[in-house]
Amino acid sequence: MREMGEKRRHHGHLNHAGFAGGMHDHEEKNKEQKLDMSGMSMDTLPHLTMSLGQVTILDLSNNNLESIPESIVARLLNVVVLDVRSNQLKSLPNSIGCLSKLKVLNVSGNLLESLPNTIEECRALEELHANFNELTKLPDTLGFELHSLRKLSVNSNKLAQLPYSTSHMTALRALDARLNCLRALPDGLENLVNLETLNVSQNFQFLRELPYAVGLLVSLRELDVSYNSISALPDSMGCLTKLARFSAVGNPLVSPPMDVVDQSLDAMRAYLTARMNASDDSKKKKKAWLPRTLVKYSTFTARMTPGRTRVHENTEGLLMSDYRSLNGLASPRFLTMLSPRRLFSPRRNSPKHC
């Protein structure tokens, strides 16, 4: 209680926060927009009698909260920033979906294993920070609803993959998924036309390759893929003309070699572009081996097949189903069987005529 009293003196706006037995006389006169209850070592939230509908910024960070009551969150109708980082939260209330004006949500430094699906209802959300948790997955359809999301930070979790709907977050500018267990990046990354920063470093032995779509991120300026198990970068990365910072240290890179990567970004882009052009030339040469036209022959038709009761009319080409292959037809042994000398000479073992 002494700590809470000191906290109230340092944060004068908490005098009107409406604790049970608090100052109701000033509640309507001084409608606070920010409610700061951070660093108060609270295990549970006290009963709040103030009108939470007036709060636009709620800071509950650096406490020991294990849960947040559904009823309190449901009353935060005008909250724009919700900060609950550095607590002991194991789950978020489903009523978080009621926060239609929420733009910034910080739940980092908790014990969350998942996020509620109702978070998709926070369609005004621009920043989602969920670092240093126990997350094993994100809601699959997260990207289908959060079209305004500009920053997604989920580093230091246990994510094996990002949701397939990530490619629908077309407003996304920064994606931080380092220090996870990512096996691959989702398909359709080329749709993230506004993405400027991508960090998928320190997924260690789990991340072995980057998709071709990484090279189609037209706005990408910073890319960090360090400390993974990537042996080759996609040729398409030679097209990343806006890329200004790149790190691939700690990978078993073979193509391009690390000395090329360390030399400069231009050297790396030139290497990948040359390899891409060489690949295109190789494909053209292979294609040149194929005949330009296929000639149809009508020499063999079903009429020529003896013993057939069915006769095919107006048929072109060789009907493979109507013929059997004659193995060894041109072999020397078969040809000697048809020689005139063999056909008209008497058999060796035949008895002599009397």
Side-chain angles (χ1 to χ4, degrees):
M1 293 299 293
R2 185 175 180 180
E3 289 182 2
M4 291 178 66
E6 291 177 357
K7 186 68 177 181
R8 289 185 215 180
R9 285 194 293 272
H10 289 295
H11 300 275
H13 53 273
L14 284 179
N15 290 335
H16 313 295
F19 293 112
M23 301 176 65
H24 294 280
D25 296 338
H26 298 280
E27 185 177 349
E28 293 299 325
K29 295 181 181 179
N30 299 294
K31 294 182 178 179
E32 297 291 339
Q33 292 185 341
K34 180 175 181 180
L35 177 55
D36 188 350
M37 301 172 65
S38 62
M40 298 177 66
S41 302
M42 295 183 296
D43 295 325
T44 58
L45 284 176
H47 179 62
L48 302 176
T49 60
M50 69 174 293
S51 177
L52 295 179
Q54 303 298 325
V55 176
T56 57
I57 300 175
L58 176 58
D59 189 351
L60 300 173
S61 62
N62 295 296
N63 284 290
N64 298 314
L65 299 175
E66 296 182 1
S67 64
I68 301 176
E70 296 271 0
S71 58
I72 290 181
V73 175
R75 291 161 56 192
L76 298 170
L77 300 180
N78 290 299
V79 72
V80 176
V81 178
L82 178 58
D83 189 351
V84 294
R85 71 182 186 277
S86 301
N87 278 283
Q88 301 294 317
L89 298 174
K90 295 181 179 179
S91 63
L92 295 178
N94 288 319
S95 57
I96 199 169
C98 300
L99 308 183
S100 59
K101 297 182 180 180
L102 185 65
K103 291 186 177 182
V104 180
L105 175 61
N106 194 334
V107 296
S108 298
N110 282 285
L111 304 174
L112 301 174
E113 295 182 2
S114 63
L115 299 177
N117 290 330
T118 53
I119 199 173
E120 300 171 4
E121 302 299 322
C122 302
R123 293 184 175 87
L125 197 63
E126 296 181 357
E127 295 184 18
L128 175 56
H129 304 266
N131 309 314
F132 295 98
N133 278 283
E134 304 291 329
L135 295 174
T136 56
K137 64 176 297 186
L138 298 175
D140 289 333
T141 56
L142 190 68
F144 293 148
E145 301 295 338
L146 301 184
H147 299 299
S148 300
L149 197 65
R150 294 173 175 267
K151 186 172 184 179
L152 177 60
S153 187
V154 289
N155 73 64
S156 307
N157 281 284
K158 299 178 180 179
L159 296 172
Q161 61 184 8
L162 296 173
Y164 62 86
S165 60
T166 303
S167 60
H168 290 259
M169 300 177 183
T170 53
L172 201 63
R173 295 182 180 275
L175 174 57
D176 184 0
R178 58 197 154 113
L179 284 165
N180 278 283
C181 308
L182 295 180
R183 267 75 172 174
L185 298 183
D187 296 332
L189 283 182
E190 65 273 13
N191 296 328
L192 305 182
V193 294
N194 293 301
L195 191 66
E196 297 178 352
T197 303
L198 175 61
N199 192 334
V200 290
S201 64
Q202 301 178 76
N203 282 277
F204 301 108
Q205 73 271 21
F206 300 104
L207 190 59
R208 296 181 177 274
E209 62 179 1
L210 297 176
Y212 187 88
V214 167
L216 305 180
L217 295 171
V218 294
S219 299
L220 197 63
R221 296 180 180 276
E222 298 182 19
L223 176 60
D224 192 344
V225 298
S226 56
Y227 297 103
N228 290 300
S229 299
I230 300 170
S231 59
L233 299 178
D235 298 344
S236 59
M237 284 181 57
C239 301
L240 295 176
T241 56
K242 291 186 178 181
L243 192 65
R245 296 181 61 185
F246 175 70
S247 177
V249 65
N251 282 280
L253 268 184
V254 175
S255 178
M258 277 304 299
D259 58 344
V260 175
V261 176
D262 293 338
Q263 184 177 345
S264 69
L265 277 173
D266 289 336
M268 183 189 74
R269 276 190 287 256
Y271 180 97
L272 293 173
T273 301
R275 194 175 69 176
M276 182 166 52
N277 293 336
S279 177
D280 290 341
D281 293 341
S282 177
K283 289 179 181 178
K284 290 179 181 178
K285 289 180 181 179
K286 288 182 180 178
K287 191 174 181 181
W289 283 92
L290 297 176
R292 293 186 178 182
T293 58
L294 296 177
V295 182
K296 292 185 178 180
Y297 296 93
S298 58
T299 306
F300 300 98
T301 65
R303 285 183 178 278
M304 300 178 62
T305 309
R308 298 279 181 168
T309 57
R310 183 180 177 185
V311 178
H312 299 278
E313 298 292 343
N314 300 323
T315 305
E316 290 187 352
L318 181 63
L319 301 178
M320 298 304 294
S321 60
D322 289 343
Y323 299 93
R324 297 179 182 177
S325 62
L326 297 177
N327 296 326
L329 180 63
S331 64
R333 181 181 178 186
F334 188 83
L335 293 175
T336 56
M337 291 174 63
L338 299 179
S339 64
R341 184 177 181 181
R342 182 180 180 89
L343 290 175
F344 295 104
S345 61
R347 297 180 180 179
R348 295 180 180 179
N349 297 328
S350 61
K352 296 182 179 180
H353 298 283
C354 296

